[in-house]
Amino acid sequence: MSGGEQPAAGAGSGTDAGTGPAGLLPEPMPDWALFLDVDGCLIDIAPTPDAVVVTPGLPELLQRLHGRFDGAVALVSGRTLGELDRLFHPAVLPAAGQHGLERRDHPPVSLARGFIEVGQVLERFVADTPGTLIERKSCGYAVHYRARPSAGPAVDRVARALATVTDPPLTVVPGKMVVEVRMPGADKGTAIRGFMQDAPFRGRIPVFIGDDVTDEDGFAMVNAFGGHSIRVGPPPPPATPGAPATAARWMVPDAGLFRDWLHGLAL
Ligand SMILES: O=P(O)(O)OC[C@H]1O[C@H](O[C@H]2O[C@H](CO)[C@@H](O)[C@H](O)[C@H]2O)[C@H](O)[C@@H](O)[C@@H]1O
């Protein structure tokens, strides 16, 4: 098995998806490139985005991993880069924020016509819908309904309707008690592919760990590179009956066990 600059054609078709033994994880190798999701993996899910707790020692662990894998460790998150740097201070790692739309040293994404107005409508929607809240990011909006799960279908409907009014249309991505409406053009898979084209990631075996629907693009991409896709938590219900529930080939039951494994990688 080898990593490379481009995904192997035909690799990662998903035929063996989900066959990784539950609770077991791949044998660590020094030539891995690690791609780490944040919420639900590095940090536990909390009632609101601001309420998350970074466990003591986690930034230092990330810094040790960064050294251990010769710099080939990146955060791949729906959060903004500013949030990632604040959460993991003093560690400043290679990172893709906003599901791949935001990269360090890359020019900002041009916004769709109507993007600002969509934010204004969503502000009014959450003001009128107790238990929801909006998280504004430079390239998108996340509408959270964790405090009122019954609002989920309404949030989804409003997000999908608003996504069509901009030019170009926005992308709608459901997540854990959240619906995100964001600029098109990137996802976690394209972010990982971008990292893999440059040092220190190039030529390594990519390993992506995630827990959510938005992480499926990342799982598919590392599979295509001949790498390892690891899902934290139980698989979601399949989108259509009979379809594979996830492209991830390995499972770890919860975020705490994943972080224990991560500690082992840094030794
Ligand atoms: O790609 P990730 O790093 O996993 O980020 C995905 C989204 O995570 C955050 O929302 C989620 O976590 C919150 C805190 O635990 C939780 O309250 C919320 O219900 C979850 O959806 C974050 O707020 C979003 O911006 C990220 O896109």
Side-chain angles (χ1 to χ4, degrees), residues 18-80:
T19 55
L24 295 180
L25 289 168
E27 182 71 20
M29 300 297 283
D31 63 347
W32 278 3
L34 278 188
F35 297 102
L36 304 170
D37 174 59
V38 175
D39 292 87
C41 291
L42 288 177
I43 51 183
D44 288 333
I45 294 292
T48 64
D50 290 341
V52 291
V53 175
V54 175
T55 38
L58 182 56
E60 292 72 21
L61 169 63
L62 294 174
Q63 281 173 323
R64 281 205 307 284
L65 287 167
H66 189 253
R68 169 86 172 71
F69 291 98
D70 300 322
V73 175
L75 305 173
V76 182
S77 175
R79 293 206 181 237
T80 64

Side-chain angles (χ1 to χ4, degrees), residues 95-184:
Q98 303 192 54
H99 306 282
L101 288 165
E102 203 186 7
R103 287 283 310 275
R104 300 190 196 284
D105 305 324
H106 283 211
V109 168
S110 302
L111 296 178
R113 196 155 3 121
F115 179 86
I116 302 294
E117 290 77 4
V118 165
Q120 292 165 347
V121 176
L122 288 173
E123 290 280 3
R124 285 199 294 277
F125 171 81
V126 299
D128 292 343
T129 314
T132 63
L133 68 89
I134 183 168
E135 189 185 359
R136 285 176 160 275
K137 312 183 203 184
S138 60
C139 311
Y141 309 99
V143 182
H144 295 266
Y145 55 90
R146 185 166 292 278
R148 187 178 170 191
S150 62
V155 172
D156 194 69
R157 261 195 316 276
V158 168
R160 287 182 194 283
L162 287 172
T164 64
V165 306
T166 61
D167 179 21
L170 301 177
T171 297
V172 179
V173 190
K176 290 188 167 171
M177 299 288 176
V178 67
V179 179
E180 303 210 32
V181 196
R182 58 177 169 83
M183 288 299 301

